[in-house]
Amino acid sequence: MKSEYQQGLKSNIKKYFLFEILISLAFFYPIFNLFYLARGLNITQIAFIGVAWIITNMVLEIPSGILADKWGRKKVLSLFVFLFMCQSVVIIFAHNYIWFIIASILHAAAFAFYSGTNVAFFWDTLKELKREKEYVKLWGKLHFYTMIPSLSAMFMGGFLFSINEILPYLFTAFFLFFGLLISFTFKEPILNK
């Protein structure tokens, strides 16, 4: 039983690298303001979308950490990806200012759930494996490995947008779906209470 648990934790490390690569493929980041303009929003409306994002993220930052401690980091990471994916889907069909606000709230909530939970999950995994000393090295590698796909996605975002304005969001949602599937396979580290 214990060795199965240890094997699950060991597999978390590789899975988490793949998970981070998939969620870093946000093709829409460089074009989202252009997308809003293409959908008929004005500059003031776009600014209020940003305000809705900031307020939502601030309000949910602490409760999301509490939820991760009580409910489990794996579940909260899955919730993050699910909300992020929902944001992309809502945006694809949004033609009304209210729907853009809803999408912004979903995106902000997603990142409130991600913030801190990602680090805690990775740290707890290494701690359970007695590999805490490798944290800085592995975390640095993780950021290096996610930077190239992330930059590639951003570069491609403009190209995809020039073909069809919803393609950056479709591609993002597609890769997030696989990130969600991977999050379901994580082994939850035992939390020290």
Side-chain angles (χ1 to χ4, degrees), residues 107-136:
H107 190 247
F111 277 87
F113 286 109
Y114 177 71
S115 173
T117 304
N118 61 333
V119 176
F121 177 79
F122 199 71
W123 172 259
D124 289 347
T125 296
L126 292 176
K127 186 171 173 115
E128 287 289 316
L129 292 169
K130 310 261 188 276
R131 293 175 60 184
E132 306 99 315
K133 291 181 181 176
E134 296 177 56
Y135 173 76
V136 173

Side-chain angles (χ1 to χ4, degrees), residues 36-149:
Y36 292 149
L37 291 170
R39 289 282 170 106
L41 272 60
N42 62 44
I43 300 299
T44 304
Q45 290 172 320
I46 295 170
F48 279 118
I49 287 170
V51 170
W53 194 99
I54 291 168
I55 290 170
T56 303
N57 191 265
M58 284 174 45
V59 167
L60 293 177
E61 189 67 32
I62 292 173
S64 68
I66 294 167
L67 185 63
D69 288 341
K70 290 188 182 279
W71 198 32
R73 288 143 177 48
K74 171 186 169 177
K75 290 177 184 172
V76 172
L77 285 174
S78 296
L79 180 59
F80 147 70
V81 184
F82 178 73
L83 291 172
F84 193 5
M85 200 169 57
C86 287
Q87 175 262 351
S88 295
V89 172
V90 168
I91 281 278
I92 288 168
F93 296 105
H95 288 280
N96 175 312
Y97 180 60
I98 297 300
W99 284 107
F100 288 108
I101 292 286
I102 291 168
S104 182
I105 289 168
L106 288 169
H107 190 247
F111 277 87
F113 286 109
Y114 177 71
S115 173
T117 304
N118 61 333
V119 176
F121 177 79
F122 199 71
W123 172 259
D124 289 347
T125 296
L126 292 176
K127 186 171 173 115
E128 287 289 316
L129 292 169
K130 310 261 188 276
R131 293 175 60 184
E132 306 99 315
K133 291 181 181 176
E134 296 177 56
Y135 173 76
V136 173
K137 180 182 171 186
L138 288 171
W139 198 252
K141 272 186 180 178
L142 176 66
H143 281 285
F144 176 76
Y145 290 145
T146 57
M147 199 59 63
I148 294 168

Side-chain angles (χ1 to χ4, degrees), residues 145-174:
Y145 290 145
T146 57
M147 199 59 63
I148 294 168
S150 178
L151 289 172
S152 300
M154 287 187 195
F155 177 75
M156 288 180 59
F159 174 72
L160 292 170
F161 182 78
S162 69
I163 296 170
N164 186 309
E165 65 188 25
I166 66 166
L167 281 179
Y169 290 97
L170 280 173
F171 273 64
T172 301
F174 176 79

Side-chain angles (χ1 to χ4, degrees), residues 48 65 176 191:
F48 279 118
L176 286 172
L191 302 176

